[in-house]
Structure formats: C-alpha cells, structure tokens
Amino acid sequence: MNRPNLIILVLFYSRHGATRKLAELIAQGVESVPGCDARLRTVPAVSSVAEATAPALAAEGAPYVEAADLADCAGLALGSPTRFGNMAAAMKYFWDGTASEWLGGTLAGKPACVFTSTGSLHGGQESTLLSMMIPLFHHGLVVLGLPYTNAELMTTSSGGTPYGASHWSGVDGDKAITDDEKRLAVALGRRLADTACKLRGA
C-alpha cells in the first residue's frame, strides 16, 4: 500500500511579494524530495483600525492558514518580512492565537525552518529569523538552519544566513532574488523535507 505524500507547510506573510517569492523557492526545494508536497499558506494583514476586517479568503495567491494545516503537516517553513528586526505583526498575531495547538502538542517533534526578506542589507535579517524561532521552540518543533556545506553562505553578498534563507529586496522592493539566495532557499526546503522523511521513517 502506498503511503500518502508528506505535507510540508510553507507559511508566510508577504506585503510586497519578496517573502512570497522565497516561499515559492522553498516549496520548490520541498517538492524536489520524493514523497513530499509543499502546501503554501499565508496569514491576513492586521490593522490598527478596530473596525477593519479582512475577507474570508485571500484576494490572490495562497489561502489563509487554518488549524488543520498545522495538524496535517509533517514539517513547517515559516517566513515573514522584517519589521524593525522582528517578524511582522500579522505573523506574530497568528502565533499568539495557537494556544490550543500548543497545549495539544500539535506541532511537537516536527521539523521547521525560517526565512525572511529585508529592505536594507543590514536591516535585521538574522534577528528576525531568530525571533521567528522562539514560538517554534515553544511548540516543540525541531528547528533547522542551513549548514556551511552550502557554499553559497560563504559567497553571498546579499541574503542567506546559517539561521535560514533570506533576501535583500531593497528599499523599494525592486531587487531581484540573486542566484545565491535562490540556491539557499531551495536547499533549505530540501533539507526540511529530507528531515521530515527521516523523522517519519519514510
């Protein structure tokens, strides 16, 4: 009997599209591993206006994440743009609402990784990646980085860190993802999927 493919959740928030492009590259890496499927999901924006509401469905791109996506996944890639060296409020708001999953151990023992994009080269890529790891540790996920066996970590002059994939998008968001950034994002997705398979004994 054939086993169903493992689902790797690629959960991201993207305001101008740079983080979404990284998510798609990570998904490409995930799906390069036999027996693994990437599931792209996003979170709605938050507003300081109490009366503002988001539509029930995302206007375009990936659907909004649901509790079932966390339960279904065998691994998680988490991405957010940098906001003053931290994850965006929309992503933080989502994790603040996952107490039921935390209490139930929904994500415990599953592998995870993080990724980000920044407007400036030294705009907090590493601190954002580290901040996104914190709720993952609390949920009991096994957090992965990128080892220096990925030679691009030594040659990149834009994004790419041992803590996770990253992209320097420029102040106007007009910088294309570099070859090094692409290779590191795909490698991170592949490493996440490989680890999920090993942990599941696939």
Side-chain angles (χ1 to χ4, degrees):
M1 186 172 90
N2 291 334
R3 288 186 180 185
N5 283 0
L6 298 183
I7 295 168
I8 307 299
L9 177 61
V10 183
L11 175 60
F12 68 95
Y13 175 70
S14 187
R15 188 71 183 269
H16 301 293
T19 309
R20 175 181 54 79
K21 289 174 185 173
L22 274 182
E24 291 167 350
L25 288 164
I26 288 170
Q28 181 181 323
V30 166
E31 296 198 335
S32 72
V33 176
C36 290
D37 291 329
R39 179 182 291 180
L40 286 159
R41 293 291 184 267
T42 190
V43 295
V46 295
S47 172
S48 60
V49 180
E51 293 80 17
T53 57
L57 298 173
E60 58 182 353
Y64 293 141
V65 66
E66 298 178 350
D69 295 313
L70 299 179
D72 292 347
C73 76
L76 167 69
L78 179 65
S80 169
T82 291
R83 296 289 184 266
F84 302 106
N86 209 326
M87 74 178 91
M91 186 57 75
K92 177 67 164 59
Y93 183 80
F94 168 76
W95 286 104
D96 285 350
T98 58
S100 294
E101 288 73 26
W102 169 65
L103 287 169
T106 300
L107 293 168
K110 298 177 181 182
C113 63
V114 290
F115 59 99
T116 192
S117 62
T118 56
S120 58
L121 182 56
H122 302 291
Q125 289 185 7
E126 293 181 351
S127 62
T128 299
L129 295 170
L130 291 168
S131 78
M132 286 194 291
M133 291 178 186
I134 294 171
L136 304 185
F137 284 127
H138 279 260
H139 275 277
L141 286 139
V142 179
V143 181
L144 307 171
L146 277 166
Y148 275 89
T149 50
N150 294 285
E152 295 83 5
L153 285 177
M154 294 297 287
T155 59
T156 181
S157 58
S158 51
T161 82
Y163 309 105
S166 62
H167 168 54
W168 174 30
S169 63
V171 175
D172 297 320
D174 56 357
K175 286 188 177 295
I177 294 180
T178 67
D179 288 342
D180 283 341
E181 290 172 338
K182 286 178 184 176
R183 284 192 284 267
L184 289 167
V186 170
L188 185 61
R190 187 183 306 116
R191 187 168 198 237
L192 177 62
D194 278 335
T195 303
C197 288
K198 289 172 183 175
L199 289 173
R200 287 288 182 98

mmCIF file with all atom_site columns, all heavy atoms in Angstrom, residues 106-135:
data_model
loop_
_atom_site.group_PDB
_atom_site.id
_atom_site.type_symbol
_atom_site.label_atom_id
_atom_site.label_alt_id
_atom_site.label_comp_id
_atom_site.label_asym_id
_atom_site.label_entity_id
_atom_site.label_seq_id
_atom_site.pdbx_PDB_ins_code
_atom_site.Cartn_x
_atom_site.Cartn_y
_atom_site.Cartn_z
_atom_site.occupancy
_atom_site.B_iso_or_equiv
_atom_site.pdbx_formal_charge
_atom_site.auth_seq_id
_atom_site.auth_comp_id
_atom_site.auth_asym_id
_atom_site.auth_atom_id
_atom_site.pdbx_PDB_model_num
ATOM 1   N N   . THR A 1 106 ? 0.319  19.752 18.932 1.00 0.00 ? 106 THR A N   1
ATOM 2   C CA  . THR A 1 106 ? 0.069  19.516 17.504 1.00 0.00 ? 106 THR A CA  1
ATOM 3   C C   . THR A 1 106 ? 1.345  19.511 16.672 1.00 0.00 ? 106 THR A C   1
ATOM 4   O O   . THR A 1 106 ? 1.494  18.725 15.729 1.00 0.00 ? 106 THR A O   1
ATOM 5   C CB  . THR A 1 106 ? -0.894 20.591 16.955 1.00 0.00 ? 106 THR A CB  1
ATOM 6   O OG1 . THR A 1 106 ? -2.129 20.521 17.684 1.00 0.00 ? 106 THR A OG1 1
ATOM 7   C CG2 . THR A 1 106 ? -1.169 20.416 15.474 1.00 0.00 ? 106 THR A CG2 1
ATOM 8   N N   . LEU A 1 107 ? 2.283  20.384 17.003 1.00 0.00 ? 107 LEU A N   1
ATOM 9   C CA  . LEU A 1 107 ? 3.489  20.548 16.199 1.00 0.00 ? 107 LEU A CA  1
ATOM 10  C C   . LEU A 1 107 ? 4.724  19.912 16.829 1.00 0.00 ? 107 LEU A C   1
ATOM 11  O O   . LEU A 1 107 ? 5.797  19.911 16.207 1.00 0.00 ? 107 LEU A O   1
ATOM 12  C CB  . LEU A 1 107 ? 3.755  22.040 15.965 1.00 0.00 ? 107 LEU A CB  1
ATOM 13  C CG  . LEU A 1 107 ? 2.720  22.762 15.090 1.00 0.00 ? 107 LEU A CG  1
ATOM 14  C CD1 . LEU A 1 107 ? 2.914  24.271 15.162 1.00 0.00 ? 107 LEU A CD1 1
ATOM 15  C CD2 . LEU A 1 107 ? 2.808  22.292 13.650 1.00 0.00 ? 107 LEU A CD2 1
ATOM 16  N N   . ALA A 1 108 ? 4.595  19.374 18.010 1.00 0.00 ? 108 ALA A N   1
ATOM 17  C CA  . ALA A 1 108 ? 5.750  18.847 18.737 1.00 0.00 ? 108 ALA A CA  1
ATOM 18  C C   . ALA A 1 108 ? 6.439  17.739 17.944 1.00 0.00 ? 108 ALA A C   1
ATOM 19  O O   . ALA A 1 108 ? 5.786  16.821 17.435 1.00 0.00 ? 108 ALA A O   1
ATOM 20  C CB  . ALA A 1 108 ? 5.325  18.329 20.103 1.00 0.00 ? 108 ALA A CB  1
ATOM 21  N N   . GLY A 1 109 ? 7.763  17.844 17.827 1.00 0.00 ? 109 GLY A N   1
ATOM 22  C CA  . GLY A 1 109 ? 8.550  16.818 17.151 1.00 0.00 ? 109 GLY A CA  1
ATOM 23  C C   . GLY A 1 109 ? 8.663  16.975 15.650 1.00 0.00 ? 109 GLY A C   1
ATOM 24  O O   . GLY A 1 109 ? 9.394  16.221 15.003 1.00 0.00 ? 109 GLY A O   1
ATOM 25  N N   . LYS A 1 110 ? 7.971  17.944 15.074 1.00 0.00 ? 110 LYS A N   1
ATOM 26  C CA  . LYS A 1 110 ? 8.047  18.158 13.627 1.00 0.00 ? 110 LYS A CA  1
ATOM 27  C C   . LYS A 1 110 ? 9.211  19.110 13.299 1.00 0.00 ? 110 LYS A C   1
ATOM 28  O O   . LYS A 1 110 ? 9.511  20.012 14.089 1.00 0.00 ? 110 LYS A O   1
ATOM 29  C CB  . LYS A 1 110 ? 6.730  18.746 13.101 1.00 0.00 ? 110 LYS A CB  1
ATOM 30  C CG  . LYS A 1 110 ? 5.527  17.829 13.310 1.00 0.00 ? 110 LYS A CG  1
ATOM 31  C CD  . LYS A 1 110 ? 4.235  18.483 12.831 1.00 0.00 ? 110 LYS A CD  1
ATOM 32  C CE  . LYS A 1 110 ? 3.033  17.581 13.065 1.00 0.00 ? 110 LYS A CE  1
ATOM 33  N NZ  . LYS A 1 110 ? 1.768  18.166 12.578 1.00 0.00 ? 110 LYS A NZ  1
ATOM 34  N N   . PRO A 1 111 ? 9.859  18.931 12.161 1.00 0.00 ? 111 PRO A N   1
ATOM 35  C CA  . PRO A 1 111 ? 10.957 19.835 11.798 1.00 0.00 ? 111 PRO A CA  1
ATOM 36  C C   . PRO A 1 111 ? 10.435 21.160 11.265 1.00 0.00 ? 111 PRO A C   1
ATOM 37  O O   . PRO A 1 111 ? 9.333  21.230 10.696 1.00 0.00 ? 111 PRO A O   1
ATOM 38  C CB  . PRO A 1 111 ? 11.707 19.062 10.713 1.00 0.00 ? 111 PRO A CB  1
ATOM 39  C CG  . PRO A 1 111 ? 10.643 18.242 10.053 1.00 0.00 ? 111 PRO A CG  1
ATOM 40  C CD  . PRO A 1 111 ? 9.681  17.869 11.152 1.00 0.00 ? 111 PRO A CD  1
ATOM 41  N N   . ALA A 1 112 ? 11.231 22.214 11.446 1.00 0.00 ? 112 ALA A N   1
ATOM 42  C CA  . ALA A 1 112 ? 10.833 23.550 10.994 1.00 0.00 ? 112 ALA A CA  1
ATOM 43  C C   . ALA A 1 112 ? 12.059 24.344 10.573 1.00 0.00 ? 112 ALA A C   1
ATOM 44  O O   . ALA A 1 112 ? 13.187 24.054 10.987 1.00 0.00 ? 112 ALA A O   1
ATOM 45  C CB  . ALA A 1 112 ? 10.091 24.287 12.102 1.00 0.00 ? 112 ALA A CB  1
ATOM 46  N N   . CYS A 1 113 ? 11.822 25.369 9.751  1.00 0.00 ? 113 CYS A N   1
ATOM 47  C CA  . CYS A 1 113 ? 12.865 26.311 9.376  1.00 0.00 ? 113 CYS A CA  1
ATOM 48  C C   . CYS A 1 113 ? 12.223 27.678 9.175  1.00 0.00 ? 113 CYS A C   1
ATOM 49  O O   . CYS A 1 113 ? 10.994 27.793 9.153  1.00 0.00 ? 113 CYS A O   1
ATOM 50  C CB  . CYS A 1 113 ? 13.594 25.859 8.104  1.00 0.00 ? 113 CYS A CB  1
ATOM 51  S SG  . CYS A 1 113 ? 12.545 25.793 6.637  1.00 0.00 ? 113 CYS A SG  1
ATOM 52  N N   . VAL A 1 114 ? 13.050 28.714 9.054  1.00 0.00 ? 114 VAL A N   1
ATOM 53  C CA  . VAL A 1 114 ? 12.541 30.088 8.941  1.00 0.00 ? 114 VAL A CA  1
ATOM 54  C C   . VAL A 1 114 ? 13.218 30.816 7.782  1.00 0.00 ? 114 VAL A C   1
ATOM 55  O O   . VAL A 1 114 ? 14.329 30.470 7.373  1.00 0.00 ? 114 VAL A O   1
ATOM 56  C CB  . VAL A 1 114 ? 12.752 30.864 10.261 1.00 0.00 ? 114 VAL A CB  1
ATOM 57  C CG1 . VAL A 1 114 ? 11.840 30.321 11.353 1.00 0.00 ? 114 VAL A CG1 1
ATOM 58  C CG2 . VAL A 1 114 ? 14.208 30.812 10.729 1.00 0.00 ? 114 VAL A CG2 1
ATOM 59  N N   . PHE A 1 115 ? 12.532 31.846 7.263  1.00 0.00 ? 115 PHE A N   1
ATOM 60  C CA  . PHE A 1 115 ? 13.080 32.646 6.170  1.00 0.00 ? 115 PHE A CA  1
ATOM 61  C C   . PHE A 1 115 ? 12.510 34.049 6.222  1.00 0.00 ? 115 PHE A C   1
ATOM 62  O O   . PHE A 1 115 ? 11.438 34.277 6.803  1.00 0.00 ? 115 PHE A O   1
ATOM 63  C CB  . PHE A 1 115 ? 12.820 31.989 4.810  1.00 0.00 ? 115 PHE A CB  1
ATOM 64  C CG  . PHE A 1 115 ? 11.375 31.761 4.458  1.00 0.00 ? 115 PHE A CG  1
ATOM 65  C CD1 . PHE A 1 115 ? 10.690 32.630 3.624  1.00 0.00 ? 115 PHE A CD1 1
ATOM 66  C CD2 . PHE A 1 115 ? 10.688 30.652 4.952  1.00 0.00 ? 115 PHE A CD2 1
ATOM 67  C CE1 . PHE A 1 115 ? 9.356  32.405 3.277  1.00 0.00 ? 115 PHE A CE1 1
ATOM 68  C CE2 . PHE A 1 115 ? 9.355  30.411 4.608  1.00 0.00 ? 115 PHE A CE2 1
ATOM 69  C CZ  . PHE A 1 115 ? 8.694  31.299 3.772  1.00 0.00 ? 115 PHE A CZ  1
ATOM 70  N N   . THR A 1 116 ? 13.239 35.016 5.632  1.00 0.00 ? 116 THR A N   1
ATOM 71  C CA  . THR A 1 116 ? 12.826 36.416 5.715  1.00 0.00 ? 116 THR A CA  1
ATOM 72  C C   . THR A 1 116 ? 13.351 37.222 4.542  1.00 0.00 ? 116 THR A C   1
ATOM 73  O O   . THR A 1 116 ? 14.220 36.771 3.797  1.00 0.00 ? 116 THR A O   1
ATOM 74  C CB  . THR A 1 116 ? 13.328 37.058 7.034  1.00 0.00 ? 116 THR A CB  1
ATOM 75  O OG1 . THR A 1 116 ? 12.696 38.325 7.223  1.00 0.00 ? 116 THR A OG1 1
ATOM 76  C CG2 . THR A 1 116 ? 14.831 37.250 7.030  1.00 0.00 ? 116 THR A CG2 1
ATOM 77  N N   . SER A 1 117 ? 12.813 38.430 4.384  1.00 0.00 ? 117 SER A N   1
ATOM 78  C CA  . SER A 1 117 ? 13.346 39.402 3.428  1.00 0.00 ? 117 SER A CA  1
ATOM 79  C C   . SER A 1 117 ? 13.406 40.760 4.114  1.00 0.00 ? 117 SER A C   1
ATOM 80  O O   . SER A 1 117 ? 12.602 41.056 5.002  1.00 0.00 ? 117 SER A O   1
ATOM 81  C CB  . SER A 1 117 ? 12.473 39.481 2.167  1.00 0.00 ? 117 SER A CB  1
ATOM 82  O OG  . SER A 1 117 ? 11.170 39.909 2.499  1.00 0.00 ? 117 SER A OG  1
ATOM 83  N N   . THR A 1 118 ? 14.382 41.583 3.693  1.00 0.00 ? 118 THR A N   1
ATOM 84  C CA  . THR A 1 118 ? 14.562 42.902 4.295  1.00 0.00 ? 118 THR A CA  1
ATOM 85  C C   . THR A 1 118 ? 14.765 43.953 3.217  1.00 0.00 ? 118 THR A C   1
ATOM 86  O O   . THR A 1 118 ? 15.281 43.668 2.139  1.00 0.00 ? 118 THR A O   1
ATOM 87  C CB  . THR A 1 118 ? 15.802 42.939 5.215  1.00 0.00 ? 118 THR A CB  1
ATOM 88  O OG1 . THR A 1 118 ? 16.957 42.527 4.474  1.00 0.00 ? 118 THR A OG1 1
ATOM 89  C CG2 . THR A 1 118 ? 15.643 42.034 6.415  1.00 0.00 ? 118 THR A CG2 1
ATOM 90  N N   . GLY A 1 119 ? 14.374 45.181 3.542  1.00 0.00 ? 119 GLY A N   1
ATOM 91  C CA  . GLY A 1 119 ? 14.558 46.289 2.619  1.00 0.00 ? 119 GLY A CA  1
ATOM 92  C C   . GLY A 1 119 ? 15.992 46.776 2.571  1.00 0.00 ? 119 GLY A C   1
ATOM 93  O O   . GLY A 1 119 ? 16.450 47.268 1.542  1.00 0.00 ? 119 GLY A O   1
ATOM 94  N N   . SER A 1 120 ? 16.720 46.646 3.689  1.00 0.00 ? 120 SER A N   1
ATOM 95  C CA  . SER A 1 120 ? 18.125 47.061 3.720  1.00 0.00 ? 120 SER A CA  1
ATOM 96  C C   . SER A 1 120 ? 18.997 45.853 4.042  1.00 0.00 ? 120 SER A C   1
ATOM 97  O O   . SER A 1 120 ? 18.558 44.919 4.708  1.00 0.00 ? 120 SER A O   1
ATOM 98  C CB  . SER A 1 120 ? 18.346 48.173 4.745  1.00 0.00 ? 120 SER A CB  1
ATOM 99  O OG  . SER A 1 120 ? 17.958 47.757 6.035  1.00 0.00 ? 120 SER A OG  1
ATOM 100 N N   . LEU A 1 121 ? 20.237 45.887 3.580  1.00 0.00 ? 121 LEU A N   1
ATOM 101 C CA  . LEU A 1 121 ? 21.106 44.732 3.704  1.00 0.00 ? 121 LEU A CA  1
ATOM 102 C C   . LEU A 1 121 ? 21.335 44.339 5.158  1.00 0.00 ? 121 LEU A C   1
ATOM 103 O O   . LEU A 1 121 ? 21.375 43.163 5.496  1.00 0.00 ? 121 LEU A O   1
ATOM 104 C CB  . LEU A 1 121 ? 22.443 45.007 3.010  1.00 0.00 ? 121 LEU A CB  1
ATOM 105 C CG  . LEU A 1 121 ? 23.467 43.870 3.003  1.00 0.00 ? 121 LEU A CG  1
ATOM 106 C CD1 . LEU A 1 121 ? 22.879 42.605 2.397  1.00 0.00 ? 121 LEU A CD1 1
ATOM 107 C CD2 . LEU A 1 121 ? 24.710 44.286 2.239  1.00 0.00 ? 121 LEU A CD2 1
ATOM 108 N N   . HIS A 1 122 ? 21.483 45.336 6.022  1.00 0.00 ? 122 HIS A N   1
ATOM 109 C CA  . HIS A 1 122 ? 21.711 45.056 7.445  1.00 0.00 ? 122 HIS A CA  1
ATOM 110 C C   . HIS A 1 122 ? 20.474 45.450 8.261  1.00 0.00 ? 122 HIS A C   1
ATOM 111 O O   . HIS A 1 122 ? 20.586 45.998 9.354  1.00 0.00 ? 122 HIS A O   1
ATOM 112 C CB  . HIS A 1 122 ? 22.953 45.803 7.927  1.00 0.00 ? 122 HIS A CB  1
ATOM 113 C CG  . HIS A 1 122 ? 24.179 45.433 7.146  1.00 0.00 ? 122 HIS A CG  1
ATOM 114 N ND1 . HIS A 1 122 ? 24.765 44.194 7.234  1.00 0.00 ? 122 HIS A ND1 1
ATOM 115 C CD2 . HIS A 1 122 ? 24.894 46.132 6.223  1.00 0.00 ? 122 HIS A CD2 1
ATOM 116 C CE1 . HIS A 1 122 ? 25.810 44.142 6.424  1.00 0.00 ? 122 HIS A CE1 1
ATOM 117 N NE2 . HIS A 1 122 ? 25.902 45.296 5.791  1.00 0.00 ? 122 HIS A NE2 1
ATOM 118 N N   . GLY A 1 123 ? 19.313 45.127 7.728  1.00 0.00 ? 123 GLY A N   1
ATOM 119 C CA  . GLY A 1 123 ? 18.060 45.562 8.328  1.00 0.00 ? 123 GLY A CA  1
ATOM 120 C C   . GLY A 1 123 ? 17.446 44.593 9.310  1.00 0.00 ? 123 GLY A C   1
ATOM 121 O O   . GLY A 1 123 ? 16.259 44.686 9.602  1.00 0.00 ? 123 GLY A O   1
ATOM 122 N N   . GLY A 1 124 ? 18.223 43.629 9.816  1.00 0.00 ? 124 GLY A N   1
ATOM 123 C CA  . GLY A 1 124 ? 17.696 42.737 10.844 1.00 0.00 ? 124 GLY A CA  1
ATOM 124 C C   . GLY A 1 124 ? 17.326 41.354 10.355 1.00 0.00 ? 124 GLY A C   1
ATOM 125 O O   . GLY A 1 124 ? 16.476 40.700 10.962 1.00 0.00 ? 124 GLY A O   1
ATOM 126 N N   . GLN A 1 125 ? 17.945 40.895 9.270  1.00 0.00 ? 125 GLN A N   1
ATOM 127 C CA  . GLN A 1 125 ? 17.630 39.551 8.772  1.00 0.00 ? 125 GLN A CA  1
ATOM 128 C C   . GLN A 1 125 ? 17.813 38.498 9.868  1.00 0.00 ? 125 GLN A C   1
ATOM 129 O O   . GLN A 1 125 ? 16.913 37.698 10.125 1.00 0.00 ? 125 GLN A O   1
ATOM 130 C CB  . GLN A 1 125 ? 18.519 39.193 7.583  1.00 0.00 ? 125 GLN A CB  1
ATOM 131 C CG  . GLN A 1 125 ? 18.205 39.948 6.317  1.00 0.00 ? 125 GLN A CG  1
ATOM 132 C CD  . GLN A 1 125 ? 19.023 39.465 5.133  1.00 0.00 ? 125 GLN A CD  1
ATOM 133 O OE1 . GLN A 1 125 ? 19.739 38.480 5.207  1.00 0.00 ? 125 GLN A OE1 1
ATOM 134 N NE2 . GLN A 1 125 ? 18.901 40.160 4.018  1.00 0.00 ? 125 GLN A NE2 1
ATOM 135 N N   . GLU A 1 126 ? 18.981 38.498 10.509 1.00 0.00 ? 126 GLU A N   1
ATOM 136 C CA  . GLU A 1 126 ? 19.278 37.429 11.464 1.00 0.00 ? 126 GLU A CA  1
ATOM 137 C C   . GLU A 1 126 ? 18.423 37.537 12.717 1.00 0.00 ? 126 GLU A C   1
ATOM 138 O O   . GLU A 1 126 ? 17.938 36.526 13.238 1.00 0.00 ? 126 GLU A O   1
ATOM 139 C CB  . GLU A 1 126 ? 20.772 37.428 11.787 1.00 0.00 ? 126 GLU A CB  1
ATOM 140 C CG  . GLU A 1 126 ? 21.596 37.027 10.573 1.00 0.00 ? 126 GLU A CG  1
ATOM 141 C CD  . GLU A 1 126 ? 23.093 36.989 10.828 1.00 0.00 ? 126 GLU A CD  1
ATOM 142 O OE1 . GLU A 1 126 ? 23.528 37.437 11.904 1.00 0.00 ? 126 GLU A OE1 1
ATOM 143 O OE2 . GLU A 1 126 ? 23.822 36.502 9.955  1.00 0.00 ? 126 GLU A OE2 1
ATOM 144 N N   . SER A 1 127 ? 18.188 38.765 13.214 1.00 0.00 ? 127 SER A N   1
ATOM 145 C CA  . SER A 1 127 ? 17.354 38.898 14.416 1.00 0.00 ? 127 SER A CA  1
ATOM 146 C C   . SER A 1 127 ? 15.909 38.501 14.123 1.00 0.00 ? 127 SER A C   1
ATOM 147 O O   . SER A 1 127 ? 15.226 37.925 14.976 1.00 0.00 ? 127 SER A O   1
ATOM 148 C CB  . SER A 1 127 ? 17.423 40.325 14.982 1.00 0.00 ? 127 SER A CB  1
ATOM 149 O OG  . SER A 1 127 ? 16.920 41.266 14.056 1.00 0.00 ? 127 SER A OG  1
ATOM 150 N N   . THR A 1 128 ? 15.437 38.774 12.904 1.00 0.00 ? 128 THR A N   1
ATOM 151 C CA  . THR A 1 128 ? 14.076 38.352 12.533 1.00 0.00 ? 128 THR A CA  1
ATOM 152 C C   . THR A 1 128 ? 13.977 36.834 12.489 1.00 0.00 ? 128 THR A C   1
ATOM 153 O O   . THR A 1 128 ? 13.019 36.246 13.005 1.00 0.00 ? 128 THR A O   1
ATOM 154 C CB  . THR A 1 128 ? 13.678 38.956 11.175 1.00 0.00 ? 128 THR A CB  1
ATOM 155 O OG1 . THR A 1 128 ? 13.705 40.379 11.277 1.00 0.00 ? 128 THR A OG1 1
ATOM 156 C CG2 . THR A 1 128 ? 12.293 38.501 10.755 1.00 0.00 ? 128 THR A CG2 1
ATOM 157 N N   . LEU A 1 129 ? 14.967 36.199 11.885 1.00 0.00 ? 129 LEU A N   1
ATOM 158 C CA  . LEU A 1 129 ? 14.969 34.732 11.831 1.00 0.00 ? 129 LEU A CA  1
ATOM 159 C C   . LEU A 1 129 ? 14.987 34.140 13.243 1.00 0.00 ? 129 LEU A C   1
ATOM 160 O O   . LEU A 1 129 ? 14.239 33.206 13.545 1.00 0.00 ? 129 LEU A O   1
ATOM 161 C CB  . LEU A 1 129 ? 16.166 34.236 11.022 1.00 0.00 ? 129 LEU A CB  1
ATOM 162 C CG  . LEU A 1 129 ? 16.157 34.603 9.529  1.00 0.00 ? 129 LEU A CG  1
ATOM 163 C CD1 . LEU A 1 129 ? 17.504 34.273 8.889  1.00 0.00 ? 129 LEU A CD1 1
ATOM 164 C CD2 . LEU A 1 129 ? 15.029 33.911 8.795  1.00 0.00 ? 129 LEU A CD2 1
ATOM 165 N N   . LEU A 1 130 ? 15.806 34.690 14.103 1.00 0.00 ? 130 LEU A N   1
ATOM 166 C CA  . LEU A 1 130 ? 15.875 34.197 15.478 1.00 0.00 ? 130 LEU A CA  1
ATOM 167 C C   . LEU A 1 130 ? 14.560 34.430 16.217 1.00 0.00 ? 130 LEU A C   1
ATOM 168 O O   . LEU A 1 130 ? 14.103 33.574 16.976 1.00 0.00 ? 130 LEU A O   1
ATOM 169 C CB  . LEU A 1 130 ? 17.040 34.864 16.212 1.00 0.00 ? 130 LEU A CB  1
ATOM 170 C CG  . LEU A 1 130 ? 18.437 34.453 15.731 1.00 0.00 ? 130 LEU A CG  1
ATOM 171 C CD1 . LEU A 1 130 ? 19.494 35.385 16.309 1.00 0.00 ? 130 LEU A CD1 1
ATOM 172 C CD2 . LEU A 1 130 ? 18.746 33.009 16.099 1.00 0.00 ? 130 LEU A CD2 1
ATOM 173 N N   . SER A 1 131 ? 13.930 35.584 15.983 1.00 0.00 ? 131 SER A N   1
ATOM 174 C CA  . SER A 1 131 ? 12.655 35.867 16.664 1.00 0.00 ? 131 SER A CA  1
ATOM 175 C C   . SER A 1 131 ? 11.561 34.902 16.219 1.00 0.00 ? 131 SER A C   1
ATOM 176 O O   . SER A 1 131 ? 10.697 34.536 17.013 1.00 0.00 ? 131 SER A O   1
ATOM 177 C CB  . SER A 1 131 ? 12.218 37.320 16.411 1.00 0.00 ? 131 SER A CB  1
ATOM 178 O OG  . SER A 1 131 ? 11.647 37.491 15.124 1.00 0.00 ? 131 SER A OG  1
ATOM 179 N N   . MET A 1 132 ? 11.602 34.482 14.965 1.00 0.00 ? 132 MET A N   1
ATOM 180 C CA  . MET A 1 132 ? 10.593 33.537 14.478 1.00 0.00 ? 132 MET A CA  1
ATOM 181 C C   . MET A 1 132 ? 10.807 32.139 15.036 1.00 0.00 ? 132 MET A C   1
ATOM 182 O O   . MET A 1 132 ? 9.870  31.342 15.106 1.00 0.00 ? 132 MET A O   1
ATOM 183 C CB  . MET A 1 132 ? 10.580 33.503 12.945 1.00 0.00 ? 132 MET A CB  1
ATOM 184 C CG  . MET A 1 132 ? 9.943  34.732 12.344 1.00 0.00 ? 132 MET A CG  1
ATOM 185 S SD  . MET A 1 132 ? 9.573  34.518 10.581 1.00 0.00 ? 132 MET A SD  1
ATOM 186 C CE  . MET A 1 132 ? 11.226 34.470 9.909  1.00 0.00 ? 132 MET A CE  1
ATOM 187 N N   . MET A 1 133 ? 12.035 31.839 15.446 1.00 0.00 ? 133 MET A N   1
ATOM 188 C CA  . MET A 1 133 ? 12.295 30.528 16.044 1.00 0.00 ? 133 MET A CA  1
ATOM 189 C C   . MET A 1 133 ? 11.652 30.381 17.423 1.00 0.00 ? 133 MET A C   1
ATOM 190 O O   . MET A 1 133 ? 11.316 29.267 17.828 1.00 0.00 ? 133 MET A O   1
ATOM 191 C CB  . MET A 1 133 ? 13.804 30.305 16.179 1.00 0.00 ? 133 MET A CB  1
ATOM 192 C CG  . MET A 1 133 ? 14.538 30.137 14.866 1.00 0.00 ? 133 MET A CG  1
ATOM 193 S SD  . MET A 1 133 ? 16.311 29.933 15.193 1.00 0.00 ? 133 MET A SD  1
ATOM 194 C CE  . MET A 1 133 ? 16.963 29.929 13.534 1.00 0.00 ? 133 MET A CE  1
ATOM 195 N N   . ILE A 1 134 ? 11.470 31.485 18.136 1.00 0.00 ? 134 ILE A N   1
ATOM 196 C CA  . ILE A 1 134 ? 11.021 31.407 19.529 1.00 0.00 ? 134 ILE A CA  1
ATOM 197 C C   . ILE A 1 134 ? 9.679  30.692 19.675 1.00 0.00 ? 134 ILE A C   1
ATOM 198 O O   . ILE A 1 134 ? 9.567  29.736 20.453 1.00 0.00 ? 134 ILE A O   1
ATOM 199 C CB  . ILE A 1 134 ? 11.008 32.807 20.178 1.00 0.00 ? 134 ILE A CB  1
ATOM 200 C CG1 . ILE A 1 134 ? 12.437 33.338 20.273 1.00 0.00 ? 134 ILE A CG1 1
ATOM 201 C CG2 . ILE A 1 134 ? 10.353 32.760 21.560 1.00 0.00 ? 134 ILE A CG2 1
ATOM 202 C CD1 . ILE A 1 134 ? 12.541 34.794 20.705 1.00 0.00 ? 134 ILE A CD1 1
ATOM 203 N N   . PRO A 1 135 ? 8.619  31.096 18.941 1.00 0.00 ? 135 PRO A N   1
ATOM 204 C CA  . PRO A 1 135 ? 7.365  30.336 19.093 1.00 0.00 ? 135 PRO A CA  1
ATOM 205 C C   . PRO A 1 135 ? 7.479  28.897 18.614 1.00 0.00 ? 135 PRO A C   1
ATOM 206 O O   . PRO A 1 135 ? 6.786  28.010 19.117 1.00 0.00 ? 135 PRO A O   1
ATOM 207 C CB  . PRO A 1 135 ? 6.345  31.131 18.251 1.00 0.00 ? 135 PRO A CB  1
ATOM 208 C CG  . PRO A 1 135 ? 7.152  31.967 17.328 1.00 0.00 ? 135 PRO A CG  1
ATOM 209 C CD  . PRO A 1 135 ? 8.435  32.256 18.042 1.00 0.00 ? 135 PRO A CD  1
#
